[in-house]
Amino acid sequence: MKKVTFTLLCLIFSLGFAFAQNDVISIDLKGTKYTVSKKIPKEIIGEYLYEKKGEPKVVLNADGTGSFQPHMVPPISIKYWIDCDAKGVIRKTEGINGRYQYTLLIQYLDGKNGNYPVNGYDLMAVTVITDEGWAVIYGERYKPLNK
């Protein structure tokens, strides 16, 4: 009996720990609920340079913070999450030649009213072009995959 009780307690503890590790939250964006996580894939973390050269940039830090710089204005601080299902499995759209795409949900932290309202949310796609060695945002901001 002691063995069964101990086994049950271990199982309950393990399940509780597993659920505590699930960092999935739900965020409403214009009436649509998105389930998102801060478990960001390593290959998309880094600095994305416009046409592989410089500004405007997008910066994605490992902790879910960063910046988004629109054309011809200073960068806007952001928080971001990655789209996932309720269990925390990241949604990934598969393409050709091993390419794939993730969707990020971003929150503008210090933007201006209008296109980038403070605490407003938006979506941002990140395409990983494995066969060419780049991750790309907006089709114009690039980060090498080896960095």
Side-chain angles (χ1 to χ4, degrees), residues 61-127:
N61 299 318
D63 66 356
T65 64
S67 63
F68 162 69
Q69 184 178 17
H71 286 271
M72 302 175 68
V73 296
I76 299 168
S77 295
I78 62 170
K79 286 196 301 191
Y80 74 96
W81 299 263
I82 192 157
D83 185 40
C84 66
D85 68 16
K87 294 181 180 178
V89 177
I90 295 171
R91 292 187 179 104
K92 179 165 103 170
T93 304
E94 302 285 341
I96 60 169
N97 297 331
R99 297 175 180 192
Y100 52 93
Q101 183 173 338
Y102 297 117
T103 300
L104 303 180
L105 188 142
I106 64 168
Q107 180 182 23
Y108 304 109
L109 300 180
D110 59 2
K112 305 293 182 222
N113 289 334
N115 291 333
Y116 314 104
V118 174
N119 293 321
Y121 292 99
D122 211 345
L123 299 176
M124 181 184 292
V126 179
T127 303

Side-chain angles (χ1 to χ4, degrees), residues 2-124:
K2 287 182 182 180
K3 212 172 196 181
V4 171
T5 303
F6 179 74
T7 303
L8 285 174
L9 285 174
C10 287
L11 180 61
I12 290 169
F13 178 76
S14 297
L15 286 172
F17 184 74
F19 285 115
Q21 296 300 309
N22 187 352
D23 68 341
V24 175
I25 62 169
S26 180
I27 296 177
D28 184 281
L29 172 62
K30 299 175 186 170
T32 300
K33 294 277 186 188
Y34 289 87
T35 49
V36 294
S37 170
K38 289 260 185 179
K39 292 184 179 175
I40 309 300
K42 291 178 183 173
E43 71 269 23
I44 67 169
I45 295 168
E47 184 177 58
Y48 293 75
L49 304 178
Y50 178 69
E51 295 182 349
K52 304 176 187 173
K53 298 174 187 167
E55 293 186 358
K57 300 177 186 180
V58 172
V59 177
L60 301 178
N61 299 318
D63 66 356
T65 64
S67 63
F68 162 69
Q69 184 178 17
H71 286 271
M72 302 175 68
V73 296
I76 299 168
S77 295
I78 62 170
K79 286 196 301 191
Y80 74 96
W81 299 263
I82 192 157
D83 185 40
C84 66
D85 68 16
K87 294 181 180 178
V89 177
I90 295 171
R91 292 187 179 104
K92 179 165 103 170
T93 304
E94 302 285 341
I96 60 169
N97 297 331
R99 297 175 180 192
Y100 52 93
Q101 183 173 338
Y102 297 117
T103 300
L104 303 180
L105 188 142
I106 64 168
Q107 180 182 23
Y108 304 109
L109 300 180
D110 59 2
K112 305 293 182 222
N113 289 334
N115 291 333
Y116 314 104
V118 174
N119 293 321
Y121 292 99
D122 211 345
L123 299 176
M124 181 184 292

